[in-house]
Amino acid sequence: MNKSQIIDKAEDNLFHVYNRFPVVFDYGKGVYLYDESDNKYLDFASGIGVMALGYGNETYENALIAQVKRITHTSNLYYQMPMIEAAEKLVNASGMDKVFFTNSGAEAIEGALKTAKKYAYTKRGAGEYEVIAMENSFHGRTVGSLSVTGTDHYREPFYPLMSGVRFATFNDFGSILANLTDNTCAIILETVQGEGGLYPADKEFLTKVRELCNEQDILLILDEVQCGMGRTGSMYAFQQYGIKPDILTTAKALGNGVPVGAFAVTNNVAENSLVPGDHGTTYGGNPLCTAAVSQVFDIFEDCKIIDHVKAITPYFEQVLDQLVEKYDFITCRRGMGLMQGLVLTIPVKEVVTKALMEQQLVVLSAGTDVLRLLPPLVITEANIDEFKRKIEEVFDTFL
Ligand SMILES: *Cc1c(COP(=O)(O)O)cnc(C)c1O
């Protein structure tokens, strides 16, 4: 089949819920993707922040192959070693106490919301508990996660969503206070807003939110589905803020390409919320996915991935700042670690399309005006130089 036949077959059979770029990816190696005709693309998107280790990591692949041959599914009615090992590694890496594995980021949010509601129910009795979420946030596409997502056009067609959600302004503590009621049971936010446009939380804001949660016995849910797993230069971004959430959600890079997420809680939350019968999942944390998680944590340690992110970030920032200097239509750079955005006054969708189709450079957008860069965490300075050459070719067409 040639490319247009492949695309026709896709559109004949797939529900048209995505406007896909006319590219068919076939395989990957390192930080490069290859299409059906063997054209090579530099990947600064990582499949939306998933492929932290890049493509074709042999240690990772061998661990998965071995697990496929052993067993891939048992259900959560029984114990199995891959899940137990993955949970221990996630606990150690995050400083949280107990873990529940899910199949996606959105499901981790669902679990976090149910946990927060059950915590309030346990501590305060039956009630109409509320959640404070942030404007401009993104937490997923399921009904629960959409209910705390602060982007109107994602939400509107699906009203009524989960009730009891109030939206506050990110990084504005006064706005949190204005939305606080006697029924508030949780505050949910991304430590670094991803889809909304690469906004890191201010340290003072997050510290005050943490203090408020402590005073009122409200649970702080930090969604690190995108900014977690080393992307910002620490395993979890909150670890750079000197605070800890009550509930952490993680996914995307957690399995480096297998569908897996998790929510993790403190002992206090675990002891006062969900009990057997309250929550479940058939696939969640199956041996194949958790073998991947376990291997990802091992590779992070063995290959000192976080040290590499810390070491390479200043160079990446420097190159991006040079671009800000060079082009008038780039307003600023924003982000943390290898999660960076360039704010543009030219149409970002056109930049992303030209980069992909004309320069074989894979990049993302965020919000309405941000060029979002989420390269694999294993990129080198040479990869960043190549990125710069390619994106300059794109930007030059807008001069
Ligand atoms: C991607 C994302 C989600 C949703 O994850 P899915 O695996 O797509 O369900 C939730 N929160 C944040 C911050 C995300 O970036």
Side-chain angles (χ1 to χ4, degrees):
M1 271 195 289
N2 67 29
K3 182 161 135 183
S4 72
Q5 289 169 320
I6 294 171
I7 291 173
D8 285 347
K9 199 192 256 301
E11 296 305 329
D12 279 349
N13 293 288
L14 291 173
F15 193 176
H16 190 87
V17 178
Y18 274 97
N19 281 321
R20 292 182 163 87
F21 293 100
V23 170
V24 182
F25 283 131
D26 188 26
Y27 64 99
K29 263 190 198 149
V31 301
Y32 294 96
L33 284 161
Y34 295 81
D35 69 13
E36 87 302 335
S37 307
D38 252 4
N39 297 305
K40 183 180 178 181
Y41 296 69
L42 176 64
D43 182 17
F44 266 49
S46 310
I48 320 186
V50 169
M51 302 303 292
L53 304 174
Y55 304 90
N57 182 299
E58 231 175 285
T59 319
Y60 171 85
E61 286 178 354
N62 289 337
L64 261 68
I65 291 164
Q67 191 59 50
V68 165
K69 291 188 170 170
R70 189 172 282 276
I71 193 166
T72 55
H73 180 80
T74 58
S75 89
N76 276 300
L77 301 179
Y78 317 100
Y79 294 101
Q80 36 102 352
M81 277 314 284
M83 178 189 278
I84 298 164
E85 286 176 3
E88 184 183 32
K89 287 169 192 176
L90 179 50
V91 162
N92 289 337
S94 65
M96 305 302 289
D97 296 314
K98 305 283 180 192
V99 174
F100 185 102
F101 285 106
T102 67
N103 303 289
S104 68
E107 272 179 86
I109 299 294
E110 298 286 340
L113 293 171
K114 280 180 71 179
T115 301
K117 288 193 178 201
K118 184 70 194 298
Y119 180 87
Y121 176 93
T122 306
K123 297 266 280 236
R124 306 188 214 170
E128 299 280 313
Y129 293 107
E130 295 177 359
V131 175
I132 300 176
M134 301 301 128
E135 288 159 2
N136 200 45
S137 63
F138 182 83
H139 299 291
R141 306 301 201 127
T142 59
V143 172
S145 62
L146 195 56
S147 301
V148 290
T149 289
T151 309
D152 285 339
H153 74 267
Y154 288 157
R155 303 161 48 84
E156 241 178 58
F158 308 106
Y159 287 155
L161 295 171
M162 185 181 86
S163 61
V165 181
R166 290 165 183 267
F167 286 97
T169 309
F170 191 60
N171 280 336
D172 178 349
F173 186 66
S175 162
I176 301 271
L177 291 179
N179 284 287
L180 192 70
T181 72
D182 290 342
N183 287 326
T184 306
C185 73
I187 299 174
I188 181 168
L189 57 97
E190 296 152 88
T191 317
V192 183
Q193 286 192 334
E195 307 288 322
L198 291 294
Y199 290 96
D202 293 339
K203 188 157 189 182
E204 195 193 340
F205 170 74
L206 206 48
T207 308
K208 283 186 174 167
V209 170
R210 178 67 272 177
E211 281 166 7
L212 177 72
C213 288
N214 289 349
E215 282 161 18
Q216 311 255 341
D217 203 14
I218 292 167
L219 299 185
L220 175 59
I221 304 170
L222 289 183
D223 180 357
E224 297 222 5
V225 166
Q226 188 163 154
C227 65
M229 292 308 290
R231 182 149 294 277
T232 66
S234 51
M235 187 58 88
Y236 288 97
F238 73 79
Q239 291 163 334
Q240 295 176 53
Y241 287 81
I243 58 114
K244 203 172 115 176
D246 301 290
I247 307 177
L248 170 72
T249 59
T250 178
K252 288 198 165 87
L254 181 64
N256 197 61
V258 300
V260 64
F263 63 99
V265 303
T266 61
N267 280 328
N268 171 48
V269 173
E271 284 156 15
N272 293 288
S273 60
L274 303 181
V275 295
D278 279 340
H279 195 55
T281 164
T282 301
Y283 286 133
N286 78 36
L288 178 62
C289 292
T290 46
V293 172
S294 199
Q295 193 53 234
V296 166
F297 280 116
D298 286 354
I299 294 170
F300 263 70
E301 201 169 298
D302 295 344
C303 301
K304 300 192 164 39
I305 299 292
I306 289 168
D307 287 344
H308 176 71
V309 173
K310 281 195 281 200
I312 197 98
T313 292
Y315 188 70
F316 191 36
E317 289 178 338
Q318 182 193 321
V319 164
L320 294 174
D321 288 340
Q322 284 165 1
L323 294 170
V324 177
E325 277 292 301
K326 184 169 173 186
Y327 297 98
D328 285 345
F329 49 72
I330 310 178
T331 318
C332 65
R333 170 182 70 77
R334 211 162 46 212
M336 234 170 122
L338 295 184
M339 182 174 184
Q340 296 283 343
L342 293 175
V343 183
L344 307 181
T345 58
I346 51 173
V348 65
K349 289 264 143 64
E350 275 179 47
V351 173
V352 171
T353 305
K354 278 191 175 178
L356 180 68
M357 305 309 294
E358 293 168 18
Q359 294 298 322
Q360 288 74 49
L361 169 66
V362 190
V363 291
L364 299 162
S365 62
T368 51
D369 60 352
V370 182
L371 180 69
R372 177 171 44 149
L373 307 165
L374 303 173
L377 304 184
V378 296
I379 51 159
T380 61
E381 291 195 1
N383 298 141
I384 294 171
D385 293 341
E386 187 184 356
F387 158 79
K388 183 172 186 253
R389 282 195 301 276
K390 286 174 179 285
I391 202 71
E392 281 181 337
E393 290 286 339
V394 176
F395 284 150
D396 285 346
T397 68
F398 288 87
L399 289 175

